């Protein structure tokens, strides 16, 4: 494309018009008529971004010229700074760079000055310019790419679109800074109301993230230091001892009751007849997720209960809490429900129970056999029907009769099946598995933070985790508006004092 004319003119957008006309002439010329569609896309991609950058630059120059004319004409009333002192002198030609999604542009504005006082730029407030060079649009692009893939991939994606306007380290810093308002944002959100017939479900789980040594918790760091004194030649496959920091993940959602029978969950040995199709289970609606590596588990659980209480402040709906059986989680949930005075129905994830029952089945029968499958199906069906205690007693009695070895007997004794009221849950149409929170663990953590060879610092991992939760909840657009407004208030806390005052 030929260089466009930049001669002086009264039209503030003359350069943009010249750029467009040059592009139009190029596309209507004989050379372009021989281009393939791929080359046309490539040339338009480059020239189109440059045209948009020039339009932005021309608009900024127009605002600068209007501001200078106002100052040179009437002089205008004095400008006071954030501390309330007047800046009596005005100086034009102060400029700074702004890296935008279209490329680098220069912002020129008038500086209002006073002896021994910092400069004040009213145009900065009007444009809500950031503290650094990078625009809010560029920061959002960096966040969008960084929560999707690695920082290297995010940097490459930003560079492909915006040219070289952002380094990798600065990209990581922008992602961390973008997550500072997540907690405050959710304190202002009003959940979608539901009828009292819809159960309210809370699920909690945890997943480890491989961290740098300085980002580990103190106990894990001491264990890692102690283990480092050994002389092991290599680790076992998949082994990462003392390298992970546990993240706590919680999700809250509404669901419509979907009553089921035990055979809707566990098919009978030999398969279903087809005469009575399995009833579908309840589906999650309006799901909200939160996760943290920094906040302790009790705080994450409290945040989840805050979200639940916002959805049902009068405790009129049935609250169902699903966990994977971790004792410390149950203790924290009990403490939280006691503090709030809310009655909840705590259920153990049925998938975990099924794993224990299958392990016991393999203690009595060879794995993969029809006998093992029938044994597990019979006992799991009885558990779902509300006979967990009787099933546990029958399993123990069978182990005694058959005189199982200590190793096999352990699999049977590990089945703690008391207080499992799955019959009530199925009849009420509640979920009985933690699939939602386990899916959140995979999506929020495993798909991004558990990349091969990745070791995380604490600020970066926490920011990516929180921003992925924002995206997963479908709240990126409202959050970014909230974050942009908060950033403006932080940079210009006394905005009214920057404006021209009479």
């Amino acid at each position: 494309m030929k260089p466009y004319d930049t001669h002086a003119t009264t039209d503030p957008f003359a350069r943009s018009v010249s750029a467009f006309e040059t592009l139009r002439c190029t596309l209507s010329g004989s050379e372009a008529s021989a281009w393939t569609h791929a080359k046309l896309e490539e040339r338009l991609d480059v020239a189109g971004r440059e045209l948009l950058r020039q339009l932005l630059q021309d608009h900024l120059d127009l605002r600068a010229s209007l501001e200078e004319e106002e100052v040179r004409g009437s002089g205008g009333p004095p400008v006071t700074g954030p501390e309330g002192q007047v800046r009596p002198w005005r100086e034009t030609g102060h400029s700074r760079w702004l890296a935008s999604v279209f490329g680098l542009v220069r912002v020129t504005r008038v500086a209002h000055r006073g002896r021994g006082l910092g400069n004040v730029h009213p145009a900065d407030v009007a444009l809500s310019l950031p503290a650094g060079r990078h625009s809010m649009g560029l920061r959002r692009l960096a966040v969008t790419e960084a929560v999707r893939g690695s920082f290297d991939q995010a940097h490459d994606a930003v560079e492909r679109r915006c040219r070289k306007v952002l380094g990798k380290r600065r990209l990581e810093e922008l992602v961390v800074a973008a997550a500072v308002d997540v907690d405050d944002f959710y304190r202002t959100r009003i959940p979608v109301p539901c009828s009292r017939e819809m159960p309210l479900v809370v699920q909690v789980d945890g997943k480890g993230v491989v961290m740098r040594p300085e980002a580990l918790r103190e106990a894990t760091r001491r264990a890692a230091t102690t283990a480092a004194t050994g002389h092991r030649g290599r680790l076992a496959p998949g082994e990462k001892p003392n390298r992970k920091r546990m993240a706590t993940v919680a999700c809250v959602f509404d669901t419509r009751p979907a009553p089921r029978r035990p055979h809707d969950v566990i098919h009978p040995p030999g398969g279903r007849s087809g005469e009575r199709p399995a009833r579908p289970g309840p589906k999650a609606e309006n799901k909200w997720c939160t996760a943290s590596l920094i906040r302790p588990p009790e705080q994450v659980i409290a945040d989840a209960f805050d979200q639940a209480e916002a959805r049902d402040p009068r405790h009129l709906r049935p609250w169902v809490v699903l966990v994977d059986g971790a004792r410390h989680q149950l203790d924290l949930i009990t403490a939280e429900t006691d503090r709030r005075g809310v009655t909840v129905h705590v259920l153990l994830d049925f998938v975990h129970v099924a794993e224990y029952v299958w392990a016991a089945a393999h203690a009595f029968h060879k794995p993969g056999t029809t006998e093992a499958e029938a044994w597990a199906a019979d006992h799991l069906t009885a558990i779902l029907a509300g006979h967990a205690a009787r099933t546990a007693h029958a399993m123990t009695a069978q182990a005694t009769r058959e005189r199982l070895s200590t190793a096999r007997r352990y699999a049977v004794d590990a089945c703690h099946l008391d207080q499992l009221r799955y019959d009530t849950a199925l009849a009420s149409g509640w979920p009985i598995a933690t699939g939602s929170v386990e899916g959140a663990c995979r999506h929020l953590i495993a798909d991004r933070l558990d990349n091969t060879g990745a070791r995380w610092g604490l600020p970066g991992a926490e920011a990516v985790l929180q921003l992925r939760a924002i995206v997963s909840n479908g709240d990126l657009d409202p959050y970014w508006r909230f974050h942009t407004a908060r950033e403006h208030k932080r940079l210009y806390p006394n905005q009214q004092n920057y404006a021209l005052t009479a």
Side-chain angles (χ1 to χ4, degrees):
M1 186 176 71
K2 296 180 180 179
Y4 48 86
D5 187 15
T6 59
H7 61 276
T9 179
T10 57
D11 184 0
F13 288 92
R15 292 180 175 85
S16 298
V17 172
S18 178
F20 175 77
E21 289 297 329
T22 302
L23 177 59
R24 186 182 66 81
C25 291
T26 300
L27 294 176
S28 61
S30 58
E31 182 182 359
S33 62
W35 292 348
T36 65
H37 84 278
K39 189 168 185 179
L40 279 168
E41 286 180 325
E42 181 181 350
R43 296 295 294 268
L44 280 172
D45 183 46
V46 176
R49 283 202 306 269
E50 173 57 25
L51 175 58
L52 292 173
R53 190 203 68 80
Q54 188 60 55
L55 282 166
L56 177 59
Q57 182 65 71
D58 287 349
H59 174 78
L60 294 173
D61 292 344
L62 173 61
R63 293 175 72 149
S65 64
L66 293 175
E67 185 185 27
E68 290 179 7
E69 287 177 10
E70 182 180 3
V71 170
R72 288 170 179 166
S74 63
V79 171
T80 59
E83 74 294 325
Q85 297 192 45
V86 175
R87 269 54 170 188
W89 307 318
R90 298 162 180 81
E91 189 173 87
T92 61
H94 282 245
S95 62
R96 55 173 288 187
W97 288 106
L98 179 67
S100 73
V101 292
F102 311 119
L104 279 174
V105 293
R106 185 183 289 274
V107 184
T108 305
R109 65 265 202 262
V110 175
H112 295 253
R113 312 183 68 181
R115 188 181 302 277
L117 301 173
N119 292 352
V120 170
H121 306 91
D124 288 6
V125 181
L127 288 166
S128 192
L129 294 181
R133 171 178 288 192
H134 304 96
S135 71
M136 292 305 292
L138 185 59
R139 295 176 188 217
R140 173 164 178 164
L141 176 62
V143 166
T144 302
E145 297 295 339
V147 301
R148 180 184 301 153
S150 68
F151 286 125
D152 285 328
Q153 292 171 332
H155 176 261
D156 292 343
V158 172
E159 189 171 294
R160 282 193 303 270
R161 176 172 173 180
C162 309
R163 301 181 183 176
K164 294 184 178 181
V165 294
L166 181 63
K168 179 185 172 185
R169 179 173 296 181
R170 183 58 180 152
L171 183 145
E172 296 180 20
E173 294 170 352
L174 293 179
V175 170
V176 172
V180 297
D181 296 312
V182 172
D183 293 338
D184 290 339
F185 168 73
Y186 277 119
R187 293 190 187 101
T188 66
R189 298 286 284 175
I190 300 175
V192 178
C194 289
S195 66
R196 66 175 64 186
E197 288 77 20
M198 292 186 69
L200 182 60
V201 183
V202 180
Q203 297 185 357
V204 182
D205 203 353
K207 188 169 180 61
V209 178
V210 179
M211 308 296 290
R212 296 172 187 156
E214 67 274 11
L216 295 171
R217 289 191 169 89
E218 184 59 32
T220 309
R221 186 162 52 247
R222 287 198 303 267
T225 303
T226 302
T229 59
H231 300 283
R232 296 177 61 185
R234 61 174 294 177
L235 298 176
E239 186 180 7
K240 298 176 182 177
N242 308 315
R243 297 185 186 183
K244 290 188 175 184
R245 184 182 179 112
M246 290 300 295
T248 306
V249 183
C251 67
V252 180
F253 60 87
D254 309 314
T255 186
R256 300 181 188 278
R260 290 179 289 171
R261 306 158 302 194
H263 279 163
D264 294 325
V265 180
I266 299 296
H267 66 77
R272 305 183 188 275
S273 63
E275 296 179 1
R276 300 176 66 183
R279 299 174 183 174
K283 305 294 183 183
E285 299 181 15
N286 306 319
K287 187 168 72 171
W288 175 87
C289 297
T290 185
S292 180
L293 282 156
I294 294 179
R295 288 175 294 166
E298 54 267 27
Q299 182 59 53
V300 177
I301 291 174
D303 291 342
F305 273 82
D306 285 342
Q307 172 70 200
E309 200 143 33
R311 298 187 183 205
D312 183 26
R314 298 175 61 187
H315 304 166
L316 300 176
R317 301 165 58 187
W319 288 32
V320 180
V321 179
L322 278 153
V323 294
D324 62 3
R327 186 71 256 172
H328 71 284
Q329 286 182 1
L330 289 170
D331 293 339
L332 294 176
I333 289 169
T334 300
E336 191 65 28
T337 55
D338 291 343
R339 185 174 71 86
R340 296 174 184 265
V342 58
T343 300
V344 300
H345 305 275
V346 179
L347 290 174
L348 180 63
D349 175 34
F350 182 71
V351 175
H352 284 73
V353 174
E355 290 176 355
Y356 284 114
V357 172
W358 273 104
H362 294 155
F364 294 109
H365 305 283
K366 186 177 180 181
T369 60
T370 304
E371 291 79 6
E373 181 178 350
W375 190 95
D378 289 341
H379 287 76
L380 288 173
T381 301
I383 292 170
L384 289 173
H387 307 305
R390 189 174 70 189
T391 301
H393 177 74
M395 292 165 57
T396 303
Q398 182 179 355
T400 301
R401 289 196 307 272
E402 298 188 11
R403 298 181 180 180
L404 294 183
S405 63
T406 303
R408 291 190 174 186
R409 180 66 184 252
Y410 177 79
V412 177
D413 294 338
C415 293
H416 303 292
L417 303 179
D418 54 335
Q419 299 180 354
L420 300 181
R421 302 303 303 174
Y422 293 120
D423 55 333
T424 301
L426 291 178
S428 302
W430 301 338
I432 60 173
T434 57
S436 292
V437 73
E438 290 181 1
C441 287
R442 288 192 298 271
H443 174 67
L444 299 181
I445 298 176
D447 291 349
R448 176 63 179 93
L449 301 180
D450 202 19
N451 293 343
T452 302
R455 292 197 307 166
W456 288 86
L458 194 54
E462 180 74 1
V464 170
L465 187 54
Q466 288 190 316
L467 291 170
R468 280 182 71 85
I470 284 279
V471 174
S472 177
N473 294 339
D475 292 332
L476 181 59
D477 288 340
Y479 171 72
W480 201 254
R481 290 192 294 269
F482 179 88
H483 171 63
T484 300
R486 281 295 185 91
E487 191 70 9
H488 182 93
K489 289 183 179 179
R490 281 190 286 267
L491 292 174
Y492 311 107
N494 299 313
Q495 176 180 337
Q496 66 277 10
N497 291 334
Y498 284 74
L500 297 175
T501 56

